[in-house]
Amino acid sequence: MEKEIKICLPFYKIAYSIFFIAVLILIRGLNFTFEIGVALEPQLALLAAVFCAETYVQEITSGRSEVERLYPMKNRMIAIFRRTGIQEIYLLILSAVGYGMFYVVQRPISFYSMPSFTGSEAGLFLISMAAFTVTLVFWGIFSVLLSSLFRNMWAGIGGCLLLWIVTNSTIGDRFLGKWNLFSYAFRDVEDRGDFSWVCGKIISIVVSIFMAAVLPKIIKNGK
């Protein structure tokens, strides 16, 4: 496991991800606590796409993929999913730290006044972390799939960026609504009992499972 962490979490990745979140906290102004999730979710998707794009491509560019072909596909996929998972867990931890730093740096006001789980700050944090987890899983595996398909990490990042631009927009919100990949960021924050945004996360989970099932075939058929 220590070897896998060193491979998929080199110093430069940790450095630019921390810098990215730090800059976001400083320049993304907000007034209310519910805006923290809105500010973080789309940016975490980009980080996941960039982080995970080279998960398998680095094996191709280094020539290690030729050696890996001698191993059973099951072992190869376990290694890919393990590395992807390590990166996503790191980003989830980073998102939790960033969430807390928004409180420290910007001191946003609580939008809700009535006590309840969905209205409490602790509840809002836990719900946000659940949404972030689904977002990281989707964009991470999507990036790995595209990069493996085209055998180029920039193709993976570029494809993710195109989908990100479409879904993280007013047009995406208008046409996709509660089924949007960023349904949590576009949710009706004034209605704390509205969980229709979960539909978008269910779609993300279903598509992620499908991509994970297709990925071995792409790896196997790669030249």
Side-chain angles (χ1 to χ4, degrees), residues 27-122:
I27 67 174
R28 177 60 163 85
L30 48 83
N31 296 314
F32 300 102
T33 53
F34 70 78
E35 295 179 274
I36 299 177
V38 176
L40 277 174
E41 187 187 22
Q43 314 313 322
L44 289 174
L46 284 180
L47 271 180
V50 174
F51 249 63
C52 299
E54 65 172 9
T55 300
Y56 180 69
V57 175
Q58 63 182 343
E59 305 300 318
I60 298 175
T61 56
S62 65
R64 291 194 297 266
S65 61
E66 298 302 322
V67 177
E68 285 190 346
R69 288 178 182 274
L70 302 176
Y71 294 95
M73 178 57 66
K74 179 180 178 181
N75 292 4
R76 295 167 64 184
M77 295 312 303
I78 288 175
I80 292 173
F81 287 132
R82 183 189 296 124
R83 292 178 185 180
T84 304
I86 290 172
Q87 293 173 97
E88 290 171 350
I89 290 173
Y90 163 75
L91 290 177
L92 187 62
I93 294 173
L94 182 64
S95 69
V97 175
Y99 196 104
M101 290 305 298
F102 264 111
Y103 276 96
V104 175
V105 176
Q106 300 209 22
R107 300 183 181 277
I109 303 170
S110 177
F111 183 78
Y112 307 109
S113 58
M114 296 178 62
S116 70
F117 175 76
T118 56
S120 68
E121 294 305 317

Side-chain angles (χ1 to χ4, degrees), residues 130-142:
F132 294 167
T133 300
V134 177
T135 296
L136 290 171
V137 169
F138 175 87
W139 291 93
I141 191 66
F142 185 49

